Structure formats: structure tokens, C-alpha cells
Amino acid sequence: MSSIIESARKIVKAYQAVSELDCGIIDLNDADAQQYFSPFCIQCYKVQVEQFGRAACQDMIPYACYQSERWGGKYEWLCPLGLTFINTMLSKGREKMGIVVGPFLMTDREEFLSEELPGFFDGKAVAGLKKLADTIPYVECGRVSSFADVLYMLTSYAMERDSIELRIMEQLATSDSEQFTYITDMKNEASNSYRYPIEAEKSLQNYIAQGNRPAAQKVLNEILGNVFFCSGGDFNVIKARTTELIVLLSRAAIEGGADVVQVFGLNYDYLRDIDSFKTLDELNTWLANVLIRFTNSVFDLGAVKHSDIILDIITYIRQNYMQKITLNDISSNVNFSVSYISRVFKDEMGISITGFINKVRVDNAKMLLLDKDIPLVEVAYLCGFEDQTYFNKVFKKQTGTSPGKYRDKRGNI
């Protein structure tokens, strides 16, 4: 089974359990793949085809999945009937899987059943659809963005996890190859002239502290090759040397800036595991994973710190977008300078902090615009825009249309 399909299924299972919303998977590489997962949508599609010859929502779900890439990993939209959906997309190479959440109601249920549904079908009998529509869940407008965020975070986590596992597999293959080459070279030398490179251990600590991954990996392979070659085949000696190597690696990680408590926790688990191995193959496979995970945790430390900063920035913006936000406000909240957070955010996210603030505000404005009782000026104010003209300018730049036209078309742009 494809790993991307497996990840998509895990996301859907977890999301359904938490949200209790209909959720499904669509294979974006298959034009004939099933698009509808809700009993209501399946029946609605059939009724549309019977009455109109085609469904107005045909291919809207695949389109929304691809749109999610443009809109920061998630896309919220309304079907022609006015029901709400959330989409995101998983991609790995040429494989692309869409995650579909919905439908759910953001408007009054009685209004939908008495006006929206009959109106769409020109007043014709839709008793079966009304019965199914009664089961469609209602979600408050203010919670929709949170539901979308949760879906995005689940998807991002799955993709990052798959990426990490792939990198580990690739690194394992490279590590095994380098170790084999090194041991072979050692065997080709005169064994009585060979001396264990004790300086390699000091070099390893220095390279990890400096963040020099290629050099550290080379030294790690050299040490590991020596562990196997110099043991004389004595498995107890190999395990003893492995224990020393784990201690050395944990010290190097701490010197490189890793969290002490976390390292000691890993260290305890790893040292406890060593005694359980009975064969060299078991120990070799396990040790290769340990080495990679230790070096990854140290070398990726900067990236992790950046991720934490970015998450804090995004969280602050999403919680405060409805009021005035300055870079100084964000800087004070995350405890880093304005210049630093601006650079890190732009490098990692591909958009400026100000641009992201406007994007969050426009995304929330889209939801409010679906309620015709809220004046356009009020929408702008509720989303943090102090100037109506600026709101119109930013909204049109991001969506290609004005707030008024977006409302008139009920978001179908």
C-alpha cells in the first residue's frame, strides 16, 4: 500500500474521531475517483443529474484540493447549495491525495431546509434530500477556521513524518554502504599496523557542536566500523563499545545545544535497549537508527527553534487578527527582534509577516461575507482592517474580486 494513502487514511480516521464531520479521500491522479463521501452529497449528485443533466458541483472538490496549496495548505468553500467544505492535499512525488471534510451547515438549518434546498431544485420534491439534510452537522462560523487549522496541522504532521522516515531510510542506506566500504578498506590493510583512531571521538564531538553534519557522519561511520572490526567477533565487547558510543553521542548532543532532559531520556532508553540484542545484525540495525536520530536531533535544532518561533507568530496572528497588530507586538510576544522574526518568517513561509496577517484577515472576511446581514464596513472592522478602502484593495488583490461581488456570488469565484 502506498505510504501516502496510508497517511491519508490515518488523517481521515483521526479527524473524524475528533470532529465528527464526514471526511474522505480523493485520488487526484485518478479522474474517475469517488469525490463524494457524505450520504447527502451522493444523493444530491444523483438528483442534480436526474433533474438538470449534470451536477453543478462536478469537479469542485478536486479543484478545492488544488486550491488548498495556494491558500496555505487548507481551503474552505461553499457548494452551490450553500453547504461548507474544507479541503487539503497530501503530495509525495507524483502522488496527490485530497482530504475532503464536509458538508456542514453554517446557516440556520430551518432556513436551509425551507428555502435554500427547495430553491436550488426549483421547488421540486426533495423529500429524500431533506431527510438526509437533517443529519448534516451545524458548525458555528467562528469555529470553521479552527476546524481547517486542525486539518492542516494533521496533514502537515503526516507529510513531515513521512519525510523524516524517508530521510532516515535514505541515511540508513548511505550509512550501511559507507560502513561496509570502511570495514573493507580496514581489512585490506595490514591488521598489525592499524591503530584505533581515538582522536575520531574528539572530532565527532567537535563536528556535532559545530553543526557540521557531513564531517560528523563520516566520523560516526569510521567509529562504527572500528567497533565491529576491532571486537574480534566478541559480541559482549561490541555491546560494551556501543554503550560507550551512546554516551559519547549524548554528550556531543548536549554540547551542540540539545535539550539536556530530552537527551538524558533518550540516553536512558537506548542504554536499556542494548542488553536485549542477541545478534550483531539486530544491534547494527538498531545502532544505525540511534546514530541517525541523535544527529538529526542536533543538526535540526536550529530548524526546530525556527519552527517554534513561526508557530508562535502564526498563533499570535490568528488570535489577534481582528485588532491592530504591529511587528513590535509580535516581537514582544515571541521575545525575538523584529528584524530576526521578519527574516526567519519570510525564509521559512515564503511570505512576509504583514502579508500573512492580511491573508488571515481576508480568509476570515470570506466567511463573514457569506452573512448578508453584516455590512461590508463591519466585515472590514471585524477582521482588523481600519480602512474600508484598504480592505477592498487587499481583498481584491488576494481573491481577484471585490468583497461585494464575492458576497453576491456566495464565494463562488
Side-chain angles (χ1 to χ4, degrees), residues 16-293:
Q16 283 180 319
V18 173
S19 69
E20 298 184 341
L21 299 175
D22 283 320
C23 192
I25 306 167
I26 174 174
D27 186 348
L28 298 174
N29 296 104
D30 183 358
D32 298 321
Q34 169 67 33
Q35 296 184 26
Y36 306 98
F37 306 94
S38 160
F40 176 86
C41 288
I42 293 172
Q43 183 62 24
C44 181
Y45 181 85
K46 291 179 180 178
V47 174
Q48 287 187 67
V49 173
E50 290 172 0
Q51 292 195 13
F52 310 127
R54 70 180 301 276
C57 54
Q58 180 70 41
D59 297 327
M60 288 187 72
I61 289 178
Y63 172 79
C65 290
Y66 282 107
Q67 283 292 98
S68 68
E69 283 196 313
R70 292 183 54 199
W71 295 100
K74 54 190 171 63
Y75 189 66
E76 305 140 39
W77 56 283
L78 297 178
C79 76
L81 258 176
L83 297 173
T84 308
F85 292 80
I86 304 171
N87 286 65
T88 189
M89 186 166 72
L90 280 168
S91 61
K92 181 179 179 182
R94 295 184 179 181
E95 289 186 282
K96 295 184 182 296
M97 307 297 295
I99 307 293
V100 186
V101 175
F104 53 88
L105 284 163
M106 287 197 302
T107 56
D108 181 74
R109 185 180 301 279
E110 290 303 319
E111 179 182 337
F112 176 77
L113 293 173
S114 62
E115 299 179 17
E116 299 286 350
L117 188 59
F120 182 81
F121 287 101
D122 299 326
K124 296 182 180 180
V126 286
L129 278 177
K130 280 190 174 181
K131 186 175 181 180
L132 288 171
D134 243 347
T135 66
I136 297 176
Y138 170 79
V139 177
E140 295 177 0
C141 180
R143 297 179 63 202
V144 175
S145 180
S146 297
F147 273 113
D149 287 341
V150 170
L151 180 63
Y152 167 70
M153 286 187 282
L154 276 173
T155 306
S156 298
Y157 168 76
M159 293 181 68
E160 178 63 18
R161 181 195 60 211
D162 289 347
S163 175
I164 290 172
E165 290 178 354
L166 178 61
R167 292 202 305 269
I168 287 177
M169 290 175 63
E170 291 174 345
Q171 291 176 35
L172 277 172
T174 301
S175 179
D176 287 345
S177 175
E178 291 176 349
Q179 291 162 17
F180 176 79
T181 300
Y182 186 78
I183 293 172
T184 300
D185 290 342
M186 288 171 62
K187 288 181 177 179
N188 289 333
E189 296 181 13
S191 59
N192 58 358
S193 64
Y194 181 79
R195 298 181 64 183
Y196 178 75
I198 192 67
E199 292 299 319
E201 294 184 349
K202 296 179 181 179
S203 297
L204 173 62
Q205 290 177 299
N206 290 332
Y207 287 139
I208 290 180
Q210 295 168 9
N212 188 339
R213 179 189 286 272
Q217 189 65 62
K218 183 178 179 180
V219 175
L220 284 172
N221 289 328
E222 179 181 347
I223 294 173
L224 188 57
N226 275 279
V227 168
F228 296 145
F229 183 76
C230 299
S231 65
D234 188 326
F235 193 53
N236 289 326
V237 173
I238 292 175
K239 289 200 291 187
R241 290 292 294 121
T242 300
T243 301
E244 294 172 7
L245 184 57
I246 294 299
V247 174
L248 173 73
L249 196 58
S250 65
R251 288 176 180 170
I254 293 173
E255 288 182 9
D259 182 79
V260 175
V261 175
Q262 183 182 17
V263 170
F264 282 168
L266 288 173
N267 205 19
Y268 174 79
D269 291 336
Y270 289 149
L271 293 175
R272 184 181 56 185
D273 289 341
I274 292 175
D275 284 336
S276 66
F277 299 111
K278 304 300 181 184
T279 68
L280 186 59
D281 286 341
E282 289 179 345
L283 182 63
N284 185 29
T285 300
W286 171 83
L287 183 56
N289 275 284
V290 170
L291 294 178
I292 289 171
R293 291 186 183 279

Side-chain angles (χ1 to χ4, degrees), residues 345-357:
F345 195 94
K346 182 66 181 292
D347 289 345
E348 298 292 331
M349 300 294 291
I351 185 174
S352 68
I353 294 178
T354 301
F356 185 82
I357 293 173

